Amino acid sequence: MSRRIERFGVTEKRPERPPLVAFLAALEVRRHAIIGAIVGIVVAVAAYLFRVLELWGPFDGTRAYPVLGPEGWFLLLAFVLAVACGTLVTVALTVRSAIARSREIADER
């Protein structure tokens, strides 16, 4: 037989959502992250294509690109650009939502 351990002050009632999840949902962070990822990928692909396909013409100067070659290194840089740009867009949209929500709350009072 198992013994039941009772905890004092603990209720069986659980909230529907944790407060942080409700907060993130109110600010539409998921939607903003998707938009940020799309913008980051588009910017990174455009930068990669301009550099690798030399759409503005060949770049002056000679460089050594060990192991991966120039296309590999620029692909890594494009990934970093995509993450940075996507994060920036996500933060900017979320801050804009937070400001709008705070103004709505202030107007209700």
Side-chain angles (χ1 to χ4, degrees):
M1 273 195 160
S2 65
R3 293 187 333 192
R4 186 174 173 197
I5 300 173
E6 293 191 30
R7 296 180 189 170
F8 296 103
V10 176
T11 62
E12 296 295 323
K13 203 179 213 183
R14 291 187 178 186
E16 292 179 20
R17 288 177 156 181
L20 180 62
V21 174
F23 178 68
L24 295 176
L27 293 180
E28 300 177 7
V29 173
R30 182 184 186 109
R31 178 177 170 269
H32 296 154
I34 291 170
I35 293 170
I38 291 169
V39 169
I41 290 169
V42 168
V43 168
V45 166
Y48 181 76
L49 290 177
F50 268 91
R51 176 59 181 103
V52 171
L53 298 178
E54 296 179 345
L55 296 177
W56 283 331
F59 290 90
D60 292 336
T62 58
R63 278 206 136 101
Y65 297 98
V67 183
L68 300 175
E71 289 82 14
W73 285 106
F74 286 111
L75 188 62
L76 290 174
L77 287 173
F79 173 75
V80 171
L81 179 64
V83 171
C85 187
T87 303
L88 181 66
V89 169
T90 301
V91 168
L93 290 173
T94 304
V95 167
R96 192 183 89 196
S97 287
I99 291 170
R101 290 286 292 166
S102 66
R103 288 182 180 162
E104 288 175 12
I105 292 171
D107 289 342
E108 289 175 4
R109 291 183 182 184

